[in-house]
Amino acid sequence: MIYTITLNPAIDRTMWVERIRDDEPNRIVREENYAGGKSIDVSKVLKNLGVESTALGFIGGFAGMELEGRLLNEGIGTDFIRVSGETRTNIIIHEISTGRQLSFYAKGPDIRPHELVMLIEQIEGLRDPEIVTIGGSLPPGLSPAVYRRIVTEAKKCEHNGCKAKVFLDVDGLSLRSSIEAAPDVIKPNIYELSELVGRELREIDEVLAAAREINRKGVEVVLVSMGPRGIVLVSAHEEYHAIPPQVKVENTVGAGDSSVAGFIYGMVNGKSLAECLIYAVAAGTATTLTEGTALANMEDFERLIPQITLRTLKTS
């Protein structure tokens, strides 16, 4: 089983307007609501690619019920911890005339100590986890040390006698703290990796050197996303750079999460690291073709796979 953990999920309320005007009424042309959050997006893309998962995390109030109901309606399994606060609602506005996108993210509900303990106990008791992916921002009341503890507990879980693989996609202090627990795979973007190693990274050689530093701290695979420049993969014995084709980008929300799902799709199908990386870039690119905060679908994913350029940087 694949488990995805999102501590601060959200309803993404997405609206389209023709043009945003100051000090005038702005008429909404179209409106959609989506269940959102980094690892929730991973579950949604995995479902689109034919892979089952169970979404974990905190939900509360009517917004939390709506979020869970939307996931259930999409055929995604859930086992959330219910909290006393209200799940947040984010606002995303698309200006049709310019293609501009404005995003307003709420902070989320305060998580109480007993609610956190319930989640940790749930992770300790996960049944047959093959992969556990953890991603997203922290809700109020939780410190970055929480992610380190979640990684530690998830790595103790077993699938068919083997330890679960832990995939982490967080940033800032949460990422820095969690490296100590040695997640198996991390996916910072180039700016997040720059912050982690304490220097600005621009060129591929600089990215490779920084990722190798993280490998030496016990992280098996480092994926560094660089937008249209693709994704670099660095492990102890293999290094690759996968580059997407040029496409008309409709949306960037969820592209990084989709890349995580594409990589996991390869992992569960027994593919090599190089193939997993190609799938990651294909899934992330597929999401950029969708409107609003919709995510990658199988048709676009499969069509893009042969269009990904793979450069082998090192094998040994």
Side-chain angles (χ1 to χ4, degrees):
M1 173 59 71
I2 297 169
Y3 293 95
T4 67
I5 302 174
T6 309
L7 300 187
N8 202 15
I11 292 293
D12 287 338
R13 186 180 179 189
T14 307
M15 295 170 280
W16 287 258
V17 299
E18 186 59 38
R19 181 180 294 278
I20 299 173
R21 295 178 173 85
D22 296 335
D23 301 320
E24 291 184 33
N26 289 285
R27 305 297 180 186
I28 297 171
V29 175
R30 176 185 163 201
E31 182 173 348
E32 300 282 350
N33 284 351
Y34 301 90
K38 273 189 171 294
S39 290
I40 283 176
D41 285 348
V42 173
S43 275
K44 291 166 71 174
V45 175
L46 285 174
K47 182 65 178 180
N48 291 347
L49 302 183
V51 178
E52 299 297 323
S53 67
T54 298
L56 310 178
F58 299 116
I59 60 169
F62 288 107
M65 293 174 65
E66 179 182 354
L67 185 147
E68 184 171 26
R70 287 183 176 277
L71 292 178
L72 293 174
N73 195 46
E74 294 178 37
I76 296 170
T78 66
D79 192 9
F80 291 111
I81 301 296
R82 299 188 181 278
V83 300
S84 54
E86 181 86 10
T87 292
R88 62 184 177 145
T89 298
N90 297 330
I91 306 296
I92 297 116
I93 302 173
H94 295 270
E95 189 175 41
I96 298 170
S97 60
T98 65
R100 186 170 57 139
Q101 177 176 292
L102 300 176
S103 300
F104 302 89
Y105 291 148
K107 66 176 184 177
D110 285 282
I111 303 302
R112 299 180 178 180
H114 74 275
E115 295 165 343
L116 174 60
V117 171
M118 291 170 65
L119 178 71
I120 297 300
E121 289 178 345
Q122 181 187 48
I123 294 169
E124 291 172 343
L126 289 180
R127 294 185 299 171
D128 199 32
E130 181 178 0
I131 297 171
V132 179
T133 180
I134 308 153
S137 63
L138 282 167
L142 299 187
S143 76
V146 168
Y147 276 128
R148 184 172 68 245
R149 176 64 183 274
I150 291 174
V151 171
T152 299
E153 297 305 327
K155 289 190 68 172
K156 295 177 183 177
C157 300
E158 293 189 356
H159 167 76
N160 291 337
C162 299
K163 296 294 184 182
K165 293 289 186 181
V166 178
F167 204 125
L168 183 70
D169 186 13
V170 299
D171 60 13
L173 291 176
S174 295
L175 178 58
R176 185 178 299 277
S177 173
S178 300
I179 291 296
E180 300 173 15
D184 296 283
V185 186
I186 64 170
K187 194 207 68 63
N189 62 37
I190 190 171
Y191 307 107
E192 293 163 350
L193 183 61
S194 295
E195 183 181 13
L196 182 61
V197 298
R199 61 184 184 272
E200 185 177 8
L201 307 173
R202 293 184 179 180
E203 304 303 323
I204 296 297
D205 287 347
E206 295 171 331
V207 170
L208 292 172
R212 290 169 191 148
E213 291 178 24
I214 307 306
N215 282 150
R216 290 193 288 270
K217 293 179 183 292
V219 178
E220 183 179 339
V221 175
V222 179
L223 301 173
V224 187
S225 56
M226 302 182 295
R229 296 167 64 192
I231 300 177
V232 167
L233 180 151
V234 177
S235 71
H237 303 291
E238 298 173 74
E239 296 177 357
Y240 304 100
H241 180 199
I243 306 165
Q246 290 188 341
V247 298
K248 181 183 178 182
V249 175
E250 297 287 346
N251 160 57
T252 58
V253 175
D257 311 328
S258 301
S259 295
V260 172
F263 197 88
I264 291 173
Y265 173 85
M267 292 173 70
V268 299
N269 284 285
K271 301 299 183 180
S272 67
L273 285 179
E275 291 171 304
C276 289
L277 179 61
I278 289 171
Y279 293 157
V281 175
T285 305
T287 284
T288 68
L289 304 178
T290 63
E291 289 187 339
T293 53
L295 298 167
N297 59 64
M298 178 64 90
E299 180 181 357
D300 287 335
F301 172 70
E302 291 182 329
R303 176 173 56 82
L304 285 164
I305 287 172
Q307 300 181 48
I308 308 301
T309 300
L310 181 72
R311 295 175 55 213
T312 301
L313 306 178
K314 185 187 86 170
T315 56
S316 62

